[in-house]
Amino acid sequence: MAKEKVCLAYSGGLDTSCILAWLIEKGYSVVCFMADVGQEEDFEAAKQKAMKIGAEKVYVEDLRREFIEELCYPAVQCNAIYENVYLLGTSLARPVIARSQIAIAKKENCVAVSHGCTGKGNDQVRFELAFYALQPSIKVIAPWRIPEFYNRFAGRNDLLDYAAKMNIPVTSTKSKPWSMDENLAHCSYEAGILEDPDTTPPEDMWKLTVDPTKAPDAPEDFTLYFEKGLPAKLVYTEKGSQKTITDSVDLFLTTNAIARRHGVGRIDIVENRFIGLKSRGCYETPGLTCLRAAHVDLEGLVLDREVRALRDQFVTLNYARILYNGLYFSPEREFLESSIVASQKSVNGQVRCRAYKGGFSVLGRSSETERLYDLEESSMDEIGSFEPADTSGFISVQAIRLKKYGAMKAEAGERL
């Protein structure tokens, strides 16, 4: 009788390597799926490791362009940010990974999909909600929620011991027991010594960015162009020559490279997970930090005040929450994305940027097509078409309710 087949989301790391061996122990035939979302990884070595452990097949799918154009760029368009600090690097990658994994599972006639997400994290929710939306009948094997598995492997040390027993090479060690997740947008670090929120991350933990104190003493300037809120062109200088990039993948990678060598995009936070727990995480998000900040700046020049206010109050907040909570494949996400597109029709222009010693700053911004900013009207040195006398009536109308409020407080003897 043929074994039941499972498609495992495989990273080549400690958890999924042990899960692969465990699934085989349980009698499953396992097809491994690896998503190339821009992480710096030796996919061939990971593939060989999986085959050595006993995988039937290993698929490596290049999802970088899909990741950038369908997830990262819409996030830039709406300035997506979770709890005012987190740029959602992990959350953004999950939908494209889940969609590709389900496609492989269908191709291989798998009865189930499996992942290495912990029972306390957000990713289990993100992946499984995506799986069920994409293939409602799919079975999910989540080892970290199966008592037989988590009682046997109570912690990372147990996994390390099991890996040693099974001759599975891993990069995580007992001296550096934090967990990492990397993609083109960022790298995250959690667990181990990082679980104490008052522990300073060791300097050798950070993988992507240069220590800001050791970054170059000279700033690096570049210009980002946007069309309808989407990054469209990057102009920068390399070895004294001006370079121009328009391809989305190359643009993202080059912005990343600039930000990385100047230490831009590090954060260390405690966030609220969807399942109700607080979690400490350290993140490096170099290029996306620059793209988002430049986009925010350009909107100040070209986006209508009321459109921006409505977008900020409703779309930005909820789109970030939807991404973080794993509800990408939902009607509310489709609705919000149509709102994002509508809000960005006028976001056209360029932003002159600077990366320096861990910081990103804007040197200037302009637009050749949008005219909301009127230099003559805004100038303090000339009147233009603006009539200062009109402001008196504006102030009088705005003051009506405040006068009533002040009188009420005075009558009650309360101090304003």
Side-chain angles (χ1 to χ4, degrees):
M1 182 177 177
K3 296 179 179 179
E4 289 190 323
K5 191 180 292 187
V6 176
C7 181
L8 170 66
Y10 184 71
S11 69
L14 175 64
D15 287 34
T16 54
S17 292
C18 291
I19 288 170
L20 170 57
W22 181 80
L23 287 170
I24 293 170
E25 276 188 13
K26 299 302 295 180
Y28 291 105
S29 173
V30 183
V31 172
C32 286
F33 159 74
M34 299 185 71
D36 179 0
V37 284
Q39 67 271 41
E40 295 176 354
E41 175 146 9
D42 187 339
F43 289 102
E44 185 58 35
K47 181 176 181 179
Q48 293 305 316
K49 182 195 293 188
M51 296 298 290
K52 181 180 178 181
I53 295 169
E56 179 183 311
K57 290 182 182 178
V58 180
Y59 286 86
V60 179
E61 301 295 303
D62 185 352
L63 306 177
R64 292 177 301 165
R65 188 171 301 277
E66 182 181 342
F67 175 43
I68 293 168
E69 295 179 355
E70 296 187 25
L71 274 299
C72 293
Y73 276 9
V76 170
Q77 279 185 304
C78 78
N79 305 323
I81 192 166
Y82 182 72
E83 296 187 337
N84 300 312
V85 284
Y86 176 42
L87 298 189
L88 301 156
T90 297
S91 315
L92 288 166
R94 295 326 187 207
V96 294
I97 294 172
R99 183 160 52 197
S100 187
Q101 185 175 357
I102 286 295
I104 297 301
K106 289 179 178 178
K107 179 179 179 180
E108 289 290 332
N109 296 313
C110 295
V111 300
V113 290
S114 184
H115 60 74
C117 305
T118 73
K120 292 184 177 181
N122 293 310
D123 276 345
Q124 58 181 339
V125 180
R126 294 168 181 154
F127 277 122
E128 292 183 35
L129 290 180
F131 292 153
Y132 291 131
L134 292 162
Q135 189 176 347
S137 62
I138 196 68
K139 176 184 176 183
V140 177
I141 300 174
W144 284 116
R145 296 204 308 269
I146 299 173
E148 177 189 349
F149 186 88
Y150 66 69
N151 286 329
R152 180 178 178 184
F153 305 108
R156 297 188 70 77
N157 285 345
D158 292 332
L159 289 173
L160 289 165
D161 292 340
Y162 179 69
K165 176 184 175 183
M166 302 296 289
N167 295 316
I168 300 172
V170 292
T171 56
S172 179
T173 67
K174 292 182 181 179
S175 62
K176 291 185 179 181
W178 54 75
S179 175
M180 295 171 52
D181 179 76
E182 183 186 359
N183 60 48
L184 190 146
H186 90 158
C187 189
S188 67
Y189 311 86
E190 62 181 8
I193 62 171
L194 300 176
E195 289 176 350
D196 179 350
D198 198 32
T199 295
T200 301
E203 185 51 45
D204 64 349
M205 179 195 76
W206 303 101
K207 178 182 179 183
L208 299 183
T209 57
V210 170
D211 181 341
T213 65
K214 299 174 183 176
D217 292 328
E220 185 166 357
D221 299 342
F222 54 100
T223 302
L224 287 166
Y225 293 74
F226 293 86
E227 294 179 4
K228 296 183 179 179
L230 294 170
K233 183 167 68 173
L234 167 66
V235 177
Y236 68 107
T237 301
E238 182 178 77
K239 296 179 181 179
S241 299
Q242 188 177 90
K243 305 284 187 180
T244 300
I245 294 176
T246 56
D247 177 77
S248 61
V249 175
D250 292 339
L251 188 155
F252 207 105
L253 287 171
T254 305
T255 307
N256 256 347
I258 293 170
R260 287 176 65 170
R261 58 179 168 259
H262 291 275
V264 175
R266 290 186 182 186
I267 62 169
D268 177 351
I269 64 173
V270 175
E271 68 202 67
N272 289 294
R273 287 179 173 170
F274 187 28
I275 63 170
L277 299 174
K278 286 187 179 290
S279 169
R280 192 270 188 92
C282 299
Y283 302 99
E284 293 177 285
T285 318
L288 190 57
T289 294
C290 297
L291 291 169
R292 180 185 181 275
H295 178 267
V296 169
D297 183 86
L298 181 61
E299 284 190 328
L301 180 71
V302 301
L303 189 58
D304 176 79
R305 181 185 72 178
E306 298 304 318
V307 172
R308 187 175 192 178
L310 285 169
R311 193 280 316 279
D312 288 350
Q313 294 165 23
F314 183 74
V315 178
T316 298
L317 174 69
N318 286 286
Y319 191 71
R321 184 180 296 155
I322 283 169
L323 287 169
Y324 189 84
N325 293 344
L327 295 166
Y328 181 82
F329 297 103
S330 66
E332 58 267 36
R333 190 271 304 172
E334 287 191 2
F335 165 69
L336 287 178
E337 281 201 351
S338 65
S339 300
I340 292 170
V341 172
S343 76
Q344 295 295 291
K345 294 176 182 178
S346 67
V347 185
N348 306 295
Q350 52 267 3
V351 181
R352 294 187 295 109
C353 311
R354 170 169 289 175
Y356 180 63
K357 296 287 186 183
F360 171 87
S361 58
V362 170
L363 304 177
R365 77 288 296 158
S366 60
S367 175
E368 297 174 357
T369 59
E370 309 308 317
R371 296 290 181 264
L372 284 181
Y373 183 89
D374 188 310
L375 183 59
E376 289 185 359
E377 286 189 347
S378 298
S379 176
M380 295 296 182
D381 296 324
E382 56 182 289
I383 293 177
S385 61
F386 183 81
E387 290 291 341
D390 292 344
T391 307
S392 297
F394 176 78
I395 294 171
S396 295
V397 171
Q398 292 295 319
I400 291 172
R401 68 183 184 91
L402 297 180
K403 288 180 178 179
K404 296 291 186 184
Y405 174 68
M408 180 187 69
K409 297 294 274 188
E411 185 177 341
E414 297 178 9
R415 181 174 181 269
L416 274 174

